[in-house]
Amino acid sequence: MAKYPDAKLLIDGELRPAENGATYPDIGPWDGEEIGRAADASLGDLDKAIGAARRAFDTTDWSTNHKKRVATLRVFADLLRKNRDRLAEIAHDEVGAPLGTIFSAQCDWPLGMLDFVLDTADNYEWEDDLGVAKSGPGANSRRKVWKEPVGVVAAITPWNVPTQINLAKIVPALAAGCTVILKPAPETPMLAAVLGEVAVEAKLPPGVFNVITSSGPAEIGEALVKDPRVDLISFTGSTATGKRIMANAAEKLSRVFLELGGKSAMIVLDDADFIPAVSRAAGVVYNAGQGCATHTRLLVPKSRYDEAIAILTQVMGSIQYGDPTAPTQIMGPLISDRQRQRVMSYIEIGKQEGARLVLGGKIPAKHDKGFWFEPTLFADVTNDMRIAQEEIFGPVLVVIPFEDDEDAIRIANDSIYGLSGGVASKSMERALNVARKVRTGTFSVNGGSWFAGDTPFGGFKQSGIGREMGVAGFEEYLELKTVGLPA
Ligand code: NAD
């Protein structure tokens, strides 16, 4: 039974249904039931949203009045925090987020990062003075670098941690002076629609922020990417879609900022505090494994391989899940039946490749409704197998043996991805040697956390281009204009 009112579009300051009245069902992963319906935008709706964002950028003082803009966004941030319980409830119902993830990535962490962005914008040096020099053929000139907003931003986001990713894009983009069209994943329209409602309440000027929800990603997404009025595409999602977006954006050479997939390796060296270090790899079940930076490959010394599998069998076999009210639970259902089919296909691939299914690999018997999947452990995995190379996006851990530190580094780097990873060792020197040689955008040493509002996040290789969050994530939305003045 539908629980929520229809999710509306936000176009040019107005919350409204799609122009043709179309809606589509929003399916809750806990039980597979419809939790509400969302506006299914047409190309006409998209055209109006892009036009409004363009006009707001080109003809209002949004892009130039830094103080006024940040003050407005502080109201927006305050109202978002006031809506915390609502965002939490929708994340729970729409994403299938258990409470343990609501207290972290699904709600409280992203809300906690807003002030860093707004403080960054408030204190930002919008102009660098490079001083006087004889430059070019002429006389002395004073050189300055002005930092200006890029323009109209298309923010295209996935369904796995929508509030985190929606806010990590729209708040820095808006704070930098850009105007934005947010296109969330079809699976999570409600969380995006709340941002539209709050923007209206916060009195963001019309056109500055627009929300377009739609059931079919390709038509609306492609039209948004190809539109010449859009200056920058800020995308988080799969590497396959990222490549398609880059190709489409190439026609008009729009800037692209891509946060893509990962197949991150956790390396436990032979001298590590073994039981806790190996046990941490059971964290693969966080958000049902639907995390781009999740450590989905565990690399352990060949000499201690059986010991590691025994520890993981015990820890992953005792993971509690399925209680929507338990604050300690971090594993929920998968987002959709389609995603579950995809995960199940990888179980078959793994078995056919010769990996040993130690635990899980099927739909739990006690959950006949919703999109649940058991915590799953594969042993006897080699790094050339598809289950070691491809992103499964489910609660599936593969364990790979290595000979020595250099072999572990080689295996970790033998991937098209380079998003994250980690190492555990009693020797900081050995751990840091590994950290320096693994080619990823983020890395954890002995359980240290790199994730925060002020830390840049992003990937090497096919995990992306650019950085989200931190000052770097703010500067993604700026252009540099170098100006010469008479000295
Ligand atoms: P996806 O690539 O299928 O879709 C992401 C977004 O792109 C959605 O809004 C979708 O509607 C839109 N889209 C799809 N086709 C499009 C097209 N042709 N043109 C324009 N837009 C299009 O990804 P998903 O299944 O929603 O999310 C899971 C993926 O996201 C995983 O691969 C995961 O690793 C990745 N992800 C990466 C990060 C990161 O920061 N690196 C974070 C979260 C998720």
Side-chain angles (χ1 to χ4, degrees):
M1 239 238 304
K3 183 175 170 188
Y4 296 98
D6 288 3
K8 294 207 172 71
L9 310 175
L10 173 61
I11 300 176
D12 207 3
E14 192 194 344
L15 292 165
R16 60 172 189 72
E19 62 178 1
N20 52 15
T23 61
Y24 71 96
D26 188 1
I27 304 297
W30 291 90
D31 57 9
E33 301 284 327
E34 187 175 311
I35 62 162
R37 300 186 70 83
D40 199 355
S42 66
L43 287 172
D45 292 317
L46 179 68
D47 178 61
K48 289 194 183 78
I50 300 172
R54 189 75 255 171
R55 180 190 43 71
F57 186 80
D58 291 338
T59 66
T60 75
D61 68 351
W62 180 258
S63 64
T64 50
N65 193 334
H66 305 315
K67 288 286 167 211
K68 183 170 142 196
R69 184 173 73 235
V70 175
T72 308
L73 290 170
R74 289 208 189 273
V75 177
F76 180 57
D78 281 345
L79 286 170
L80 284 173
R81 287 185 284 256
K82 285 203 178 104
N83 276 277
R84 185 263 174 205
D85 289 351
R86 191 169 162 223
L87 286 164
E89 192 187 351
I90 301 175
H92 179 275
D93 294 351
E94 182 175 65
V95 188
L99 287 187
T101 65
I102 296 283
F103 300 136
S104 48
Q106 289 289 7
C107 189
D108 289 341
W109 287 353
L111 291 181
M113 294 177 193
L114 299 173
D115 283 340
F116 173 81
V117 182
L118 299 179
D119 292 346
T120 299
D122 238 352
N123 302 319
Y124 199 66
E125 298 289 342
W126 297 94
E127 174 180 301
D128 287 339
D129 189 339
L130 302 184
V132 174
K134 188 170 169 55
S135 62
N140 278 348
S141 293
R142 176 168 292 281
R143 294 87 32 78
K144 292 190 175 185
V145 179
W146 294 343
K147 292 129 187 206
E148 299 185 351
V150 170
V152 173
V153 171
I156 303 179
T157 58
W159 42 259
N160 61 333
V161 269
T163 299
Q164 165 62 34
I165 298 169
N166 289 339
L167 292 180
K169 292 194 187 305
I170 68 166
V171 179
L174 292 169
C178 298
T179 58
V180 175
I181 301 119
L182 171 65
K183 196 214 81 63
E187 293 85 351
T188 50
M190 296 273 171
L191 282 172
V194 173
L195 303 184
E197 283 178 41
V198 174
V200 170
E201 206 183 336
K203 297 195 169 39
L204 261 66
V208 156
F209 178 53
N210 305 272
V211 181
I212 290 288
T213 55
S214 82
S215 60
E219 193 185 29
I220 291 288
E222 300 231 343
L224 181 57
V225 169
K226 288 179 178 169
D227 196 293
R229 293 168 293 177
V230 172
D231 297 295
L232 175 123
I233 297 121
S234 177
F235 170 75
T236 296
S238 61
T239 294
T241 306
K243 287 179 184 175
R244 172 104 192 127
I245 284 178
M246 197 162 172
N248 281 335
E251 276 176 42
K252 57 187 172 72
L253 273 185
S254 310
R255 275 177 59 177
V256 288
F257 163 30
L258 306 173
E259 297 286 355
L260 309 176
K263 192 74 187 181
S264 302
M266 175 69 207
I267 301 171
V268 178
L269 299 183
D270 53 1
D271 67 344
D273 201 355
F274 209 66
I275 295 176
V278 169
S279 301
R280 273 203 291 275
V284 73
V285 305
Y286 182 89
N287 209 36
Q290 302 166 116
C292 49
T294 303
H295 296 158
T296 48
R297 289 184 293 159
L298 176 67
L299 276 47
V300 295
K302 202 175 229 171
S303 58
R304 303 190 74 172
Y305 192 80
D306 292 344
E307 200 183 333
I309 297 297
I311 294 166
L312 285 164
T313 307
Q314 214 267 320
V315 177
M316 289 182 73
S318 57
I319 284 166
Q320 300 293 308
Y321 59 93
D323 180 352
T325 63
T328 50
Q329 293 192 3
I330 58 167
M331 173 165 147
L334 294 164
I335 188 76
S336 63
D337 194 42
R338 190 171 69 106
Q339 182 64 17
R340 188 164 63 176
Q341 298 295 336
R342 180 185 147 87
V343 174
M344 282 164 78
S345 75
Y346 275 103
I347 304 304
E348 287 315 306
I349 290 168
K351 286 190 210 162
Q352 280 163 19
E353 288 178 311
R356 176 163 53 99
L357 183 64
V358 179
L359 202 71
K362 57 186 189 312
I363 297 170
K366 65 173 181 166
H367 291 291
D368 56 348
K369 285 177 145 190
F371 311 126
W372 297 89
F373 201 73
E374 289 180 344
T376 299
L377 177 64
F378 269 118
D380 302 344
V381 178
T382 55
N383 202 51
D384 57 353
M385 292 180 183
R386 284 182 63 191
I387 56 168
Q389 289 292 328
E390 296 175 20
E391 193 176 41
I392 300 174
F393 236 50
V396 182
L397 183 69
V398 304
V399 188
I400 302 169
F402 64 81
E403 299 285 351
D404 56 22
D405 296 14
E406 292 307 312
D407 192 38
I409 293 162
R410 182 191 60 76
I411 295 169
N413 284 334
D414 177 16
S415 169
I416 60 164
Y417 296 113
L419 193 55
S420 193
V423 64
S425 170
K426 279 220 174 72
S427 156
M428 189 50 89
E429 197 187 332
R430 279 179 76 189
L432 289 176
N433 174 52
V434 172
R436 288 199 179 93
K437 290 181 178 168
V438 174
R439 300 197 61 236
T440 57
T442 57
F443 202 79
S444 166
V445 176
N446 285 334
S449 172
W450 44 260
F451 187 85
D454 60 351
T455 52
F457 171 69
F460 287 21
K461 302 193 269 183
Q462 292 192 29
S463 288
I465 298 173
R467 291 293 178 272
E468 200 140 74
M469 307 196 295
V471 176
F474 175 76
E475 291 181 333
E476 290 287 347
Y477 298 98
L478 297 175
E479 286 279 17
L480 301 182
K481 183 183 281 176
T482 308
V483 184
L485 303 162

